Amino acid sequence: MKNVKITSIFIIVSISIMIFTACSSMKSPTIKKPLMAPQKEINNTVKAISTAMKTIYTDTLKGLVTAKTITQAQSDKVMEEVTKNVSKAKGSINRLSKLVKNNVITQGQADKINQNIEKAMKSIKSQLK
């Protein structure tokens, strides 16, 4: 009977040690890293938006040059101004006001450019829905 108790205790202790060892040797679950770092993802999004905005402005300004609302030289100046420091810009209205102030374009031309840009952006938004 004494041998059975000792054997039982030995088995219990052995099983406990094996369970403890098995648990401690298991690897902790790995956490999957995102495919892209958040900052990199933001930078890619900003680049995509910049490219899309450039396309919108290019197409809009071509239409205004064709309609003789603005000249090609004015269109070039507008593109130069709106693509300068894209990430720091506060919107096309502020950027175009500098051109109006420097007599590159008139206020009426700036308003027409902004109206056409807004129309193009609304069109794109409606296509995305």
Side-chain angles (χ1 to χ4, degrees):
M1 185 85 171
K2 192 172 185 181
N3 285 339
V4 174
K5 282 184 177 179
I6 292 174
T7 306
S8 296
I9 291 173
F10 178 74
I11 291 173
I12 291 172
V13 169
S14 296
I15 290 174
S16 298
I17 290 172
M18 287 189 323
I19 290 174
F20 179 75
T21 305
C23 288
S24 65
S25 68
M26 289 178 60
K27 292 183 180 179
S28 60
T30 57
I31 298 172
K32 290 185 179 182
K33 293 181 182 176
L35 296 176
M36 297 174 102
Q39 187 60 41
K40 195 172 188 178
E41 203 170 300
I42 290 169
N43 290 342
N44 288 345
T45 302
V46 168
K47 285 179 187 176
I49 291 171
S50 296
T51 302
M53 288 303 293
K54 227 181 235 189
T55 303
I56 290 171
Y57 268 97
T58 301
D59 294 346
T60 300
L61 292 172
K62 277 181 187 176
L64 292 172
V65 169
T66 302
K68 299 188 191 253
T69 304
I70 59 174
T71 65
Q72 184 59 51
Q74 289 172 319
S75 172
D76 295 341
K77 290 284 187 184
V78 169
M79 273 307 286
E80 181 182 322
E81 187 63 32
V82 297
T83 56
K84 183 174 32 173
N85 298 324
V86 173
S87 61
K88 295 179 183 177
K90 301 280 190 212
S92 61
I93 294 171
N94 292 338
R95 290 180 272 174
L96 295 181
S97 65
K98 181 179 177 184
L99 295 174
V100 172
K101 185 178 177 181
N102 293 335
N103 294 319
V104 174
I105 59 175
T106 66
Q107 185 60 53
Q109 289 171 322
D111 294 342
K112 190 70 172 172
I113 292 168
N114 284 325
Q115 287 171 357
N116 287 7
I117 295 296
E118 285 179 31
K119 244 189 255 182
M121 290 175 71
K122 284 179 184 176
S123 173
I124 289 173
K125 283 181 186 177
S126 67
Q127 290 172 5
L128 294 175
K129 289 182 180 179

